[in-house]
């Protein structure tokens, strides 16, 4: 078992309330329950010795791994192992049935089988509760063992014998061709009833129900473009990363995975960013998933109402927990060494307290896109939205931390101003279309003032480009790739085309796009980072809109070679093509969808 497999060497399974990463070695090395943002049970990806893991794989030589794929159009992960004596498979999944109701009970199904010859499987289940901080007891059960921690209980059941190894469980079973066994790991509250005994037929039936759920869901997509496999996989990933009881997507399934191995840029992404969720609305609608888009618009409305009711000094916080809870206190898990020594490992996220004015643009952009699904605001919802724009009318011309959540002090970020413009632009449209009361004169004045300011102070005449912020040395920033999408500039405006050219020269490397240059624009953190996969897909979108279709398509096709073996993307791509950062990242997958649909439309237009 490799101490720290590559970040990309994983597939994702989940039940729409939490998720697990399974490596190609058959190891569950990340799993938190009962929710995405709960304390971990398996976290060896962040500390091999203290984090806990669940290995189920053939008894093969040290370090040998398998090959992974998803059962077609599902979130059922298949890990295949080849050996001289036979071929074995591990099928991992979690059942999303009933996920709309929050529960503390979650089950990971692990089915093993020999498809050729004979295969000897080994099981090691070594949970470490509460990020490895809580001890546990082990009790025997008729078909397995029970792990008892202070706040949670875990039942491990198998259709073959298990043995005690201190407070952990181990076991082996040899399967001959055509034979199957199952292992079921169920977590619940300490007072929760035990699950039914492990049963091969029942568990196999449950597995096929999971297959049916996902294939039925994917059939609801109306995407008929050139890249169905990549788009469908991204859609499934977005769905997997969405907390079904509230409709809120998390930014990623993990925490603490580094943007630079050995560096300090290690964040907890298991929360819902207003920005990411709002931009996902358009991607979901493009695919025809109106139920998911509607659920998030309701979640966002509820956040606006809640902030209004408690009289917050700002109309929205930049991120929340999946249930809308605003407290995300950041702490360091000092006992974890971090992925390959990438310390500190942070839980919680202090960026929740930052001022990021761009979120109002994304929120209004998302709600405006959502009007196509009858998201006509009720009176109270509209009042909360209008109050937010009234607040923004007095607040838009302030330095903030910006989209990238820098920790080097507030600045006058151009992107923040652009998205404030988008907020007023969409707000004015909705007020007119929905015939709702609004201080349209005030909003119009703010919108026009922002446009004038960005065109004068956000434009650098020497570089012939829009730049990251107004002060000091001009720096380019890939977030500005959204300018034509929100309509701030026309996609073929000369100022925009020259900005694209400038980005080509300074931010693009082998078609991959950096966010910005930390050396030229210090962000308060040590070290460097890789290219941002989100930004690369934004680049494809902008190129397609600009009519640079040959370059856009080649960039998009090339970017697919950086996906992992099952089509997933982490946050970044490192210098050697390795995936870095939290995994998989929802923002990257939603931007893949929008890039694909924009590019498809542009390429189809060439036939007209």
């Amino acid at each position: 078992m490799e101490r720290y497999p590559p970040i990309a060497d994983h597939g994702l399974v989940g039940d729409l309330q939490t998720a697990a990463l399974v490596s190609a070695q058959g190891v569950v090395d990340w799993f938190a329950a009962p929710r995405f943002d709960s304390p971990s049970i398996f976290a060896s990806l962040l500390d091999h010795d203290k984090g806990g893991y669940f290995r189920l794989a053939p008894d093969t030589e040290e370090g040998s791994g398998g090959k992974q794929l998803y059962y077609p159009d599902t979130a059922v992960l298949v890990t295949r192992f080849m050996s001289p004596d036979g071929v074995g498979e591990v099928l991992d999944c979690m059942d999303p049935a009933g996920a709309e109701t929050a529960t503390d009970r979650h089950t990971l199904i692990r089915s093993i089988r020999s498809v050729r010859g004979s295969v000897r499987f080994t099981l090691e289940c070594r949970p470490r509760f509460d990020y490895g901080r809580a001890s546990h007891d082990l009790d025997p059960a008729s078909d397995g063992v029970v792990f008892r921690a202070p706040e949670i209980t875990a039942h491990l059941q198998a259709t073959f014998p298990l043995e005690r190894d201190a407070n952990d469980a181990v076991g082996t079973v040899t399967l001959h061709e055509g034979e199957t066994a199952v292992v079921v790991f169920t977590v619940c509250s300490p007072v929760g009833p035990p699950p039914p005994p492990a049963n091969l037929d029942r568990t196999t039936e449950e597995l096929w129900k999971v297959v049916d759920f996902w294939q039925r869901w994917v059939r609801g997509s109306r995407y008929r473009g050139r890249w169905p496999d990549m788009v469908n996989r991204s859609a499934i990933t977005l769905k997997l990363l969405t907390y079904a009881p509230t409709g809120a997507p998390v930014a990623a399934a993990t925490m603490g995975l580094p943007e630079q191995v050995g560096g300090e840029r290690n964040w907890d992404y298991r929360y819902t960013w207003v920005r990411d969720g709002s931009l996902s609305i358009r991607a979901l609608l493009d695919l025809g998933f109106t139920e998911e888009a509607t659920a998030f618009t309701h979640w966002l409305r509820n956040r606006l109402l809640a902030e209004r009711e408690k009289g917050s000094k700002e109309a929205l916080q930049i991120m929340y927990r999946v249930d809308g809870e605003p407290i995300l206190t950041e702490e360091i898990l000092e006992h974890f060494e971090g992925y390959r020594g990438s310390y500190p490992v942070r839980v919680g996220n202090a960026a929740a307290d930052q001022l990021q004015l761009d979120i109002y643009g994304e929120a209004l952009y998302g709600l405006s896109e959502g009007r196509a699904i009858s998201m006509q605001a009720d009176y109270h919802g509209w009042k909360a939205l209008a109050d937010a724009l009234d607040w923004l009318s007095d607040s838009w011309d302030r330095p903030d931390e910006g989209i990238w959540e820098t920790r080097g002090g507030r600045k006058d970020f151009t992107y923040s101003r652009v998205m404030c413009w988008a907020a007023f632009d969409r707000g004015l449209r909705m007020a007119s279309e929905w015939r709702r009361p609004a201080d349209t004169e005030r909003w119009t004045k703010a919108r026009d003032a922002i446009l004038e300011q960005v065109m004068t102070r956000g434009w650098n005449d020497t570089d012939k480009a829009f730049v990251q912020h107004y002060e000091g040395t001009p720096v380019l920033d890939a977030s500005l790739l959204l300018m034509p999408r929100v309509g701030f500039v026309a996609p073929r405006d000369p100022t925009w085309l020259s900005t694209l050219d400038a980005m080509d020269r300074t931010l693009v490397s082998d078609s991959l796009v950096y966010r910005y240059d930390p050396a030229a624009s210090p962000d308060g953190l040590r070290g460097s980072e890789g290219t941002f996969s989100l930004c690369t897909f934004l680049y494809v979108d902008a190129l397609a809109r600009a009519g640079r279709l040959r370059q856009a398509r080649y960039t998009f096709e090339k970017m697919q070679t950086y996906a992992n073996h099952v089509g997933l993307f982490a946050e970044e791509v490192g210098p050697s093509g390795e995936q870095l950062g939290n995994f998989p990242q929802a923002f990257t997958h939603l931007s893949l969808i929008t890039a694909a649909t924009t590019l498809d439309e542009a390429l189809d237009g060439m036939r007209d």
Side-chain angles (χ1 to χ4, degrees), residues 101-114:
T101 301
T103 179
D104 58 14
R105 181 175 292 266
H106 300 274
T107 299
L108 174 64
I109 297 173
R110 311 201 74 186
S111 175
I112 55 176
R113 61 188 181 185
S114 172

Side-chain angles (χ1 to χ4, degrees), residues 274 300 302-318 320 355 357 359-360 384-392 395 398:
V274 168
L300 184 55
N302 291 337
R303 302 290 71 72
L304 284 164
L305 282 170
E307 297 291 356
R308 180 172 182 254
E309 289 170 1
K310 71 182 183 182
S312 301
K313 65 178 181 179
E314 290 157 16
L316 274 176
Q317 192 167 285
I318 73 163
Y320 299 84
L355 176 67
L357 293 169
I359 65 170
Y360 299 97
L385 189 151
D387 285 353
L389 285 176
D390 288 343
W391 174 87
L392 191 62
S395 304
R398 298 164 58 190

Side-chain angles (χ1 to χ4, degrees), residues 208-528:
W208 286 112
K209 285 182 179 178
V210 175
V211 169
D212 290 341
F213 171 91
W214 286 106
Q215 291 186 338
R216 185 169 57 251
W217 184 80
V218 169
R219 284 198 297 271
S221 172
R222 66 186 184 202
Y223 180 78
R224 299 295 183 269
R226 295 165 176 79
W227 301 280
D229 291 342
M230 292 297 291
V231 169
N232 287 346
R233 181 52 51 197
S234 289
I236 291 171
T237 304
L238 286 180
K239 180 76 169 175
L240 275 173
L241 294 175
T242 299
Y243 184 67
T246 63
V250 295
T254 58
M255 52 172 274
L257 294 180
E259 297 176 15
Q260 179 186 31
V261 174
E264 67 169 338
R265 297 167 185 261
N266 318 313
W267 315 109
D268 190 348
Y269 273 15
R270 300 171 299 152
Y271 310 112
T272 300
W273 269 252
V274 168
R275 174 188 307 114
D276 303 27
S278 297
L279 292 175
S280 73
I281 293 174
R282 181 69 265 163
L284 292 167
L285 291 176
D286 285 342
L287 300 184
F289 295 121
T290 57
E291 181 178 333
E292 289 76 9
T294 301
F296 183 75
T297 60
H298 291 164
W299 182 91
L300 184 55
R301 168 195 177 274
N302 291 337
R303 302 290 71 72
L304 284 164
L305 282 170
E307 297 291 356
R308 180 172 182 254
E309 289 170 1
K310 71 182 183 182
S312 301
K313 65 178 181 179
E314 290 157 16
L316 274 176
Q317 192 167 285
I318 73 163
M319 72 177 90
Y320 299 84
R321 293 186 182 273
V322 289
D323 61 357
E325 166 62 44
I327 307 300
L328 288 80
T329 304
E330 184 176 302
E331 62 176 309
I332 293 173
L333 301 179
E334 296 183 355
H335 61 293
F336 273 4
E337 71 172 2
Y339 176 82
R340 298 187 180 180
S342 302
Y343 182 88
V345 177
R346 298 179 177 90
V347 59
N349 201 312
D353 298 325
Q354 288 188 353
L355 176 67
Q356 296 178 25
L357 293 169
D358 67 281
I359 65 170
Y360 299 97
E362 285 106 6
L364 269 292
Y365 174 80
L367 292 174
S368 175
E369 296 294 305
R371 70 188 188 278
I373 51 172
S374 300
M375 216 308 284
Q376 188 174 59
D378 61 278
Y379 176 76
H380 295 291
W382 173 258
K383 285 295 293 181
L385 189 151
D387 285 353
L389 285 176
D390 288 343
W391 174 87
L392 191 62
S393 298
D394 297 325
S395 304
W396 67 264
D397 197 14
R398 298 164 58 190
D400 69 348
E401 276 87 5
I403 180 177
W404 305 128
E405 298 171 5
T406 59
R407 301 194 177 190
R410 295 179 176 180
K411 297 178 181 177
D412 290 308
F413 286 104
T414 303
Y415 177 77
S416 295
R417 298 297 198 276
V418 168
M419 295 311 291
C420 286
W421 176 93
F424 292 118
D425 181 69
R426 270 32 178 216
L428 288 164
R429 293 188 198 181
M430 287 189 286
S432 174
E433 183 174 333
W434 293 344
R435 298 174 179 85
R436 291 291 187 260
D439 193 343
T440 55
E441 182 178 353
R442 184 181 182 190
W443 298 358
T444 301
K445 183 178 179 181
R447 182 196 62 185
D448 295 347
I450 295 169
L451 180 65
E452 292 291 341
Q453 186 188 91
V454 170
M455 296 305 295
T456 54
R457 300 185 65 193
W459 172 260
N460 182 273
D461 202 47
T462 301
D463 291 340
K464 302 296 181 186
F466 292 103
V467 291
Q468 184 185 65
H469 54 79
Y470 297 166
E471 302 83 15
T473 305
V475 178
L476 295 179
D477 191 310
S479 64
L480 297 174
L481 288 164
L482 278 164
M483 290 175 74
R485 172 169 276 276
V486 300
F488 187 90
V489 294
R492 303 190 188 191
D493 185 293
T495 61
W496 177 245
L497 294 178
S498 64
T499 299
L500 263 184
D501 292 337
M503 289 185 181
D504 285 341
R505 295 191 298 269
T506 58
L507 295 182
V508 180
S509 172
D510 187 36
S511 298
L512 300 172
V513 181
Y514 290 95
R515 296 190 299 176
Y516 57 91
D517 181 0
S521 180
D523 53 17
L525 298 165
R526 297 187 302 272
S528 60

Side-chain angles (χ1 to χ4, degrees), residues 18-153:
T18 187
L21 292 186
V22 185
S23 77
Q25 299 177 52
V27 179
V28 180
D29 51 21
W30 176 260
F31 177 58
R35 295 192 328 199
F36 294 106
D37 57 350
S38 297
S40 65
I41 297 172
F42 302 118
S44 60
L45 200 56
L46 297 178
D47 193 299
H48 176 82
D49 298 319
K50 301 174 183 175
Y53 63 87
F54 182 6
R55 180 177 182 270
L56 184 59
D59 187 13
T60 55
E61 295 181 2
E62 180 74 18
S64 65
K67 298 181 179 181
Q68 289 183 316
L69 72 155
Y70 279 109
Y71 197 89
D73 285 340
T74 77
V76 176
L77 185 67
V78 183
T79 307
R80 291 169 49 80
F81 297 88
M82 287 78 167
S83 72
D85 297 324
V87 178
E89 293 183 343
V90 181
L91 277 69
D92 286 291
C93 71
M94 299 180 72
D95 188 356
E100 292 75 17
T101 301
T103 179
D104 58 14
R105 181 175 292 266
H106 300 274
T107 299
L108 174 64
I109 297 173
R110 311 201 74 186
S111 175
I112 55 176
R113 61 188 181 185
S114 172
V115 294
R116 299 182 69 181
S118 297
V119 182
R120 184 172 185 265
F121 287 88
T122 297
L123 178 151
E124 292 180 78
C125 187
R126 307 185 187 277
R128 298 294 181 265
F129 298 92
D130 189 23
Y131 306 111
R133 298 180 296 193
S135 61
H136 67 269
D137 297 322
L138 183 72
D139 294 333
S142 60
D143 58 350
V145 298
V146 182
F147 303 94
R148 301 190 187 278
E151 303 293 333
I152 195 168
T153 294

